[in-house]
Amino acid sequence: MARVWIEDRAGHKEFRAALAKAKAAKRQPPGRWRVRWYDLGGKPRSKTFARKPEAENHVHQVEARLRDGSYRDASAGKATLAEVAEKWRATLSGLEPTTRETYEDTLRVHVLPRWGSYQVRGIEWEDVAEWVGQLVAGSAGHHRPLSPGRVGKIHQVLSLVLGHAVRAKRIPANPAAGVPLPRPVPRDHVYLTHGQVDRLADAAGPYRVLVLLAAYTGLRWGELSAVTVGAVDLGARRVSVRQAYKKTRGGLVVGMPKTHERRKVPILRSLADELAAHVDGRKRDELLFTAPRGGPLYGDNFRSRFFNPAVKAAGLGELGVTPHKLRHTAASLAIASGADVKVVQTMLGHKSAVMTLDLYGHLFPDRLDEVANRLDRERERRALLARLAGLLLAEQQRLENPRERLHLIKGGGEPAAGGVYEIRTANP
């Protein structure tokens, strides 16, 4: 049996009855021609048309879509975004708890109130673009305009849900794709000098080593607070970044580092001796840095109780220094010491060197003049070698001329076998 075919209903009893009923009521008569087919899942589908050419055209369309895999069941697109979102949420189990909670909160607070009751097939690109503009302007039911970064995350969640609808073959394309988003405003980076780092560390009291380690390794706060004693190798002067604390509604949980890749960062030789006091005599699974009463350090508590007072005491209050911004200091000091982009990327745990260059490319020295000078020196060297080669070739050709050789040999005779007579320069 053909997968798509046309059925003439003129001889069907139910069609004739429906036709007579429609004429009596002076309504639109039912379609005589019915296109029938089996979808990709083997389910029977049908659609009626009043004219045969229309039915034939639909046959060609369905056959083409079934053939290239673009077929979509129209009824599947009737599902609301809230229904699709529930199925999408079931796919988030493999994400980090913090990421999953962020997605769910964004869905609940921003996406579902606007789009939850919409059929996914009824969501248009223009509507999404308009909504994004309302989020930026603060006219989408919010009390204030949202930041570009926040708007981007909200749009991302809507796009993820609609992307799930595309993969589930409910809609042919994602209407949130390609929507213009506001550009995030670059945050000011704070780059401390070695002297400022020392002042801040001295003012941090019992957390002096923590500040130094953050400023010279670039560890993220979650990574730094999760470093264990066993992760510190003083002999090799390395810290293994194996895990990171993630803040969730239920408290801190241990997970993988942000890029899901473990790495090792260097320990300054001058810092190794101070670290030894934090390591000696302790169990390998103990946290390297703990709260005053034990247990992991919470970022907010540490910042308010220890870090901010230390910043003020060190005279750095106007710079807006935070524990996270010490990563920028680590990057700037490493670059100033001659580290290339790949080294900085590895140290900071960036996913790619492109990200490192985007953030810190302006810190790398402008080496254009250096490159130009090297090219000049190489060009001059090759030009000199070419001139020398030309002179040697000319001299060789001159010496091979018999008449010239007679001028060069004292007494006008050929040198004896194995002997060389006095050679003098002859004017041509």
Side-chain angles (χ1 to χ4, degrees):
M1 180 182 292
R3 193 161 191 177
V4 187
W5 69 98
I6 298 176
E7 183 179 70
D8 185 357
R9 302 200 301 158
H12 293 186
K13 182 179 179 180
E14 67 274 11
F15 173 73
R16 291 197 300 268
L19 182 61
K21 189 176 180 180
K23 287 182 178 180
K26 296 182 179 181
R27 295 197 307 264
Q28 184 74 21
R32 171 181 171 179
W33 307 95
R34 179 161 59 189
V35 178
R36 302 185 66 179
W37 70 93
Y38 290 96
D39 65 15
L40 295 173
K43 295 180 180 180
R45 305 292 180 185
S46 66
K47 186 174 182 179
T48 59
F49 297 88
R51 300 171 63 249
K52 188 175 181 179
E54 295 174 346
E56 291 174 337
N57 183 54
H58 190 69
V59 167
H60 298 321
Q61 291 179 4
V62 172
E63 285 179 335
R65 291 169 183 168
L66 288 172
R67 187 165 50 249
D68 64 19
S70 63
Y71 174 83
R72 299 292 184 274
D73 180 12
S75 63
K78 294 180 180 180
T80 64
L81 186 107
E83 294 170 341
V84 175
E86 193 61 29
K87 294 182 179 297
W88 169 73
R89 287 180 64 249
T91 69
L92 303 181
S93 58
L95 297 180
E96 292 285 352
T98 49
T99 303
R100 187 169 60 251
E101 288 183 1
T102 299
Y103 283 170
E104 291 176 345
D105 289 344
T106 302
L107 182 70
R108 175 178 51 83
V109 175
H110 298 283
V111 177
L112 290 181
R114 175 64 176 84
W115 302 104
S117 61
Y118 276 65
Q119 293 181 357
V120 288
R121 69 178 184 177
I123 299 176
E124 301 289 345
W125 182 91
E126 188 175 12
D127 297 330
V128 177
E130 181 181 359
W131 176 61
V132 167
Q134 292 172 349
L135 292 173
V136 175
S139 58
H142 302 281
H143 297 294
R144 58 181 176 80
L146 299 179
S147 69
R150 185 67 181 140
V151 171
K153 291 178 180 178
I154 295 170
H155 170 268
Q156 179 190 21
V157 171
L158 174 62
S159 184
L160 288 171
V161 175
L162 291 172
H164 181 87
V166 172
R167 290 187 292 275
K169 299 188 182 301
R170 295 182 181 275
I171 52 177
N174 187 339
V179 170
L181 299 175
R183 291 188 177 183
V185 179
R187 297 181 179 179
D188 292 333
H189 289 180
V190 177
Y191 306 114
L192 301 184
T193 64
H194 290 287
Q196 290 172 326
V197 170
D198 286 338
R199 297 208 314 265
L200 179 60
D202 291 340
Y207 293 106
R208 166 185 165 80
V209 175
L210 181 151
V211 170
L212 291 174
L213 195 64
Y216 287 107
T217 63
L219 292 179
R220 300 178 180 90
W221 173 255
E223 299 167 344
L224 183 64
S225 59
V227 171
T228 61
V229 172
V232 180
D233 185 345
L234 292 176
R237 291 194 293 114
R238 293 289 186 273
V239 173
S240 297
V241 184
R242 305 167 182 168
Q243 60 186 22
Y245 273 121
K246 316 283 184 176
K247 186 178 179 181
T248 68
R249 300 188 194 102
L252 296 179
V253 296
V254 177
M256 290 290 291
K258 188 173 182 179
T259 55
H260 296 272
E261 293 183 4
R262 297 180 177 183
R263 68 187 191 280
K264 292 184 178 182
V265 296
I267 302 173
L268 271 64
R269 194 183 306 276
S270 57
L271 182 56
D273 293 339
E274 293 191 63
L275 264 176
H278 283 68
V279 172
D280 291 344
R282 300 179 64 190
K283 297 180 180 179
R284 291 181 56 83
D285 60 351
E286 289 185 50
L287 291 173
L288 185 64
F289 305 109
T290 63
R293 297 183 181 181
L297 281 168
Y298 279 74
D300 293 339
N301 292 343
F302 172 78
R303 183 174 175 180
S304 62
R305 295 180 59 187
F306 299 99
F307 192 82
N308 288 348
V311 169
K312 185 176 180 180
L316 306 174
E318 295 181 357
L319 298 180
V321 185
T322 66
H324 179 76
K325 289 183 179 180
L326 291 179
R327 275 173 63 79
H328 306 320
T329 291
S332 67
L333 295 178
I335 292 169
S337 69
D340 61 37
V341 63
K342 196 63 181 176
V343 170
V344 178
Q345 174 205 344
T346 302
M347 186 176 80
L348 297 182
H350 287 161
K351 192 172 183 179
S352 69
V354 174
M355 181 178 181
T356 307
L357 285 172
D358 286 344
L359 289 172
Y360 306 113
H362 62 287
L363 295 179
F364 286 92
D366 185 353
R367 304 180 66 185
L368 294 178
D369 289 339
E370 179 183 344
V371 171
N373 291 337
R374 287 182 179 179
L375 290 173
D376 271 336
R377 288 195 294 271
E378 178 63 17
R379 188 166 179 265
E380 291 170 359
R381 184 182 71 85
R382 295 183 66 85
L384 177 61
L385 290 175
R387 287 197 299 271
L388 289 175
L391 291 173
L392 290 173
L393 179 61
E395 185 69 12
Q396 179 182 1
Q397 293 173 345
R398 191 169 69 85
L399 292 176
E400 289 175 352
N401 186 328
R403 295 181 63 184
E404 292 293 337
R405 293 178 63 191
L406 290 175
H407 286 290
L408 295 174
I409 299 174
K410 186 176 181 179
E414 293 286 343
V420 177
Y421 292 100
E422 177 184 354
I423 303 297
R424 59 185 174 79
T425 303
N427 294 325

